[in-house]
Structure formats: C-alpha cells, structure tokens
Amino acid sequence: MLTLEGVCAARGDRAVLHDVSLALPAGGTLAVVGESGAGKSTLIAAVLGLLRPTAGRIGWDGGPVRACRPALVMQEPRAAFNPRLTLRRSILEPLTARRMLPDRDRLHRLCSGLELSSDLLDRRPTEVSIGQAQRAGILRALIAAPPLVLFDEPLSALDAATQKHTARMIADLQAEEGFAALIVTHDLGYAAAHASEIAVLRSGRVEEITPAARFVRSPQSAYGSRLRDAALVLGALERAA
Ligand SMILES: Nc1ncnc2c1ncn2[C@@H]1O[C@H](COP(=O)(O)OP(=O)(O)OP(=O)(O)O)[C@@H](O)[C@H]1O
Ligand SMILES: [Mg+2]
C-alpha cells in the first residue's frame, strides 16, 4: 500500500504541496485530478523520491517507495526512450539493469495486450507513431512487474480514439498484472471511468477524496463540483455515468 501522510514539498523556494495525505492499496487505482500547475507532477516526483518532501511521510508497505521499484509512464510518449536505441533495447533496460532476462511468454503477453508487434519494437522512437510510442512506454514500465505504476497524464498526447483504446489496454493489463496505479490527470472523464477513487488537488492541497462513482453524482467540495460540472458540459463524463 502506498501512503502519503501530511506531505509538503517545494520546488526551489516555492511551496507546491501542502499537507497531502493519500492512500492507494495494492492493486487499486487512485486518480489525482487537478488543473495545470496544481502540483500533480510534483506529487509524482515526491513519490518516486526524486524530490524530498519538506514535511510528512511517503511509504510503501511501511518502507521507502523506491524499495518496491515503482515504474513511471510519462506524459510525453517519446521521453522514456533514447532516440538512438531501438524501442526493444529501451524496453528491456529495466531488466538488463537488474541483470534479469526477459520472460518470453510474459513479453509476448504484454506485447499482445498492447498491440505491439515484434517489427515495431525493432524501430527507433521517431519511427513509430505517438500512440505506439506511448504503448511502448507502458510496456517498458510494466516489463519488470512493478507493484506500483505512476501514470503522469498518460493519455494527454493522444487523440480521442487512441486515448480510449489505450485507457482500455491499461485497465486490462492492470486486471491481469495486479499493479497499483496512481494516475495523475486533468481528464476527469478518464479518472471517473478508470479509478476507484478520485483525489482532487487544487494549488497543492487535497480538496476531497471520493469514490469515483460517487464523485460523478455528488462531489464533496465546491471546487470538485466545479470540475465535475465543467466535465459534464464537455460531455467528458458520459463514459463514467
Ligand atoms: N523545477 C521547478 N522549479 C520551480 N518551480 C516549478 C518547477 N516545476 C514545477 N514548478 C512549479 O510548481 C507548481 C506545480 O507544478 P507541477 O508541474 O507539479 O504541476 P502539474 O499539476 O503537474 O501541472 P501540469 O498539468 O501542467 O503538468 C507550478 O506552479 C510550477 O510552476
Ligand atoms: Mg504535470
């Protein structure tokens, strides 16, 4: 279980996260939604240990998060890849770094779940589409079977049809693999359709944490209601309703 208790974090001199407490059980899905600048990526950096909190505690099953070797799926699909290497080399890197060999059956199963062909894996990042690069990024994140995967806006670089398809693949793989997913997104429709709980982050503070189905019906905070209403106007909650 991932826990954050009273976490404060700063970027330089600027306080960005204020007293953030969250819990994500093993195998669960928690979405953190908030507008640009709310502190979502800062939260991910703190969970990954890339940024030391100025106060509070972050842990996984009572130990440091890094001990569970969490994986990250980045917003920018090609950012996970060295442009000079084939996708395959980069995808296997989390294993080779640990002197592990890929389990062929598992690799095959992940590739088929993400609709990635062997031919595609032998190309370089610039020789595939953004959607394919993002699916390869998800494969790289999952290859070493992490118990915790952090998704930083995993769909925002994709077009609407590709978003829907990729969201489904992530959900199916999560059901098979059982990892806990912390999804940060400004897309309330995605959060409501795929997370069990929604945490609303505003200017670095958690405004509410509500089961997703309940959030769609009745958000608990005034700010959560505004986000929900805006998403309703855009038709973004149809998937979740
Ligand atoms: N390296 C940095 N140095 C100084 N300030 C930063 C740095 N990175 C982020 N910030 C500031 O911290 C605040 C939170 O940024 P963060 O990137 O966590 O937001 P976000 O919710 O991920 O936004 P977005 O949806 O645009 O990705 C913002 O005000 C941002 O300007
Ligand atoms: Mg961000």
Side-chain angles (χ1 to χ4, degrees):
M1 176 155 183
L2 174 72
T3 49
L4 286 83
E5 294 169 89
V7 171
C8 300
R11 295 280 202 180
D13 293 341
R14 187 193 168 88
V16 174
L17 296 179
H18 310 275
D19 194 20
V20 171
S21 295
L22 296 171
L24 169 61
T29 309
L30 171 67
V32 176
V33 301
E35 291 170 332
S36 182
K40 304 183 298 293
S41 295
T42 303
L43 179 75
I44 285 196
V47 170
L48 287 173
L50 304 173
L51 184 71
R52 182 193 280 268
T54 51
R57 282 200 307 232
I58 305 179
W60 174 265
D61 287 349
V65 175
R66 66 171 186 284
C68 83
R69 298 185 190 254
L72 171 67
V73 174
M74 290 187 246
Q75 175 167 10
E76 165 47 49
R78 291 189 176 119
F81 294 101
N82 181 330
R84 289 190 298 271
L85 301 182
T86 62
L87 294 174
R88 186 187 303 278
R89 281 276 302 277
S90 293
I91 285 164
L92 296 179
E93 192 274 335
L95 293 176
T96 43
R98 291 169 214 180
R99 299 178 191 281
M100 288 165 66
L101 286 172
D103 172 334
R104 284 186 178 280
D105 289 347
R106 178 177 160 72
L107 183 60
H108 188 260
R109 191 160 41 76
L110 289 171
C111 283
S112 89
L114 288 160
E115 296 175 14
L116 290 167
S117 65
S118 190
D119 149 67
L120 200 121
L121 297 190
D122 289 322
R123 296 191 219 158
R124 287 170 222 288
T126 50
E127 297 163 349
V128 300
S129 74
I130 292 286
Q132 288 163 340
Q134 189 59 314
R135 299 205 305 274
I138 295 165
L139 174 56
R140 185 178 194 275
L142 299 187
I143 194 78
L148 171 64
V149 184
L150 310 174
F151 294 88
D152 190 353
E153 300 276 9
L155 307 180
S156 66
L158 311 177
D159 64 52
T162 314
Q163 280 183 347
K164 207 169 169 183
H165 192 49
T166 308
R168 179 88 292 200
M169 288 178 184
I170 293 173
D172 289 347
L173 284 168
Q174 190 185 8
E176 281 172 33
E177 299 262 312
F179 54 85
L182 178 71
I183 302 173
V184 310
T185 178
H186 64 271
D187 181 346
L188 200 50
Y190 174 45
H194 289 280
S196 338
E197 279 198 309
I198 294 181
V200 176
L201 192 68
R202 181 196 197 188
S203 305
R205 289 178 205 280
V206 175
E207 295 270 321
E208 65 176 285
I209 305 173
T210 309
R214 191 159 134 217
F215 184 88
V216 173
R217 288 196 311 275
S218 59
Q220 307 296 298
S221 65
Y223 180 68
S225 296
R226 290 220 299 279
L227 287 185
R228 193 274 312 258
D229 293 349
L232 280 177
V233 170
L234 291 172
L237 290 174
E238 282 164 17
R239 280 177 282 165

